[in-house]
Amino acid sequence: MLRPVLTVLLPLLLPTLVFVAYSLWEARRLRAAGHAPDPWHARAPWPWLLAGGLLLALAALGTLATRGAGVPHGVYVPAHVGPDGRTVPARTYAPGAVPPDGAVPPDASGR
């Protein structure tokens, strides 16, 4: 759940959150000077905020796709029940490496 939030939702919302914080700070400053500022949503540059959020989300997803977890050309071993009855999480091992528990499914051995 944390990964989609950090890679999609946060980059999409970050420009808007920064703009809202700046607008609230600026409105407080204007009120202190005796002016009546417009609400932040009335003066928000919505197309620019949306474009900035989309660009940040695409950059995050692109970075994750090219530099994500996993070993290139590795052997993927799906989650399974180990010899001791415990659930072993899914892992990717370097080619030729044997998992510590030795439980490699026959079709995942890379041969």
Side-chain angles (χ1 to χ4, degrees):
M1 181 64 189
L2 184 62
R3 188 173 180 173
V5 169
L6 291 177
T7 58
V8 178
L9 193 60
L10 181 65
L12 274 173
L13 295 177
L14 191 61
T16 304
L17 294 174
V18 169
F19 179 79
V20 168
Y22 169 75
S23 280
L24 293 175
W25 176 77
E26 186 69 16
R28 186 181 342 163
R29 190 184 66 79
L30 286 173
R31 271 192 226 97
H35 301 291
D38 292 334
W40 70 269
H41 54 80
R43 62 181 186 270
W46 291 110
W48 289 106
L49 292 175
L50 180 63
L54 287 174
L55 284 175
L56 282 175
L58 286 174
L61 290 173
T63 301
L64 185 65
T66 58
R67 307 219 183 261
V71 179
H73 308 291
V75 178
Y76 173 73
V77 179
H80 59 278
V81 177
D84 59 353
R86 293 180 145 181
T87 302
V88 179
R91 298 269 166 103
T92 303
Y93 295 96
V98 178
D101 61 3
V104 179
D107 60 343
S109 62
R111 296 181 202 150

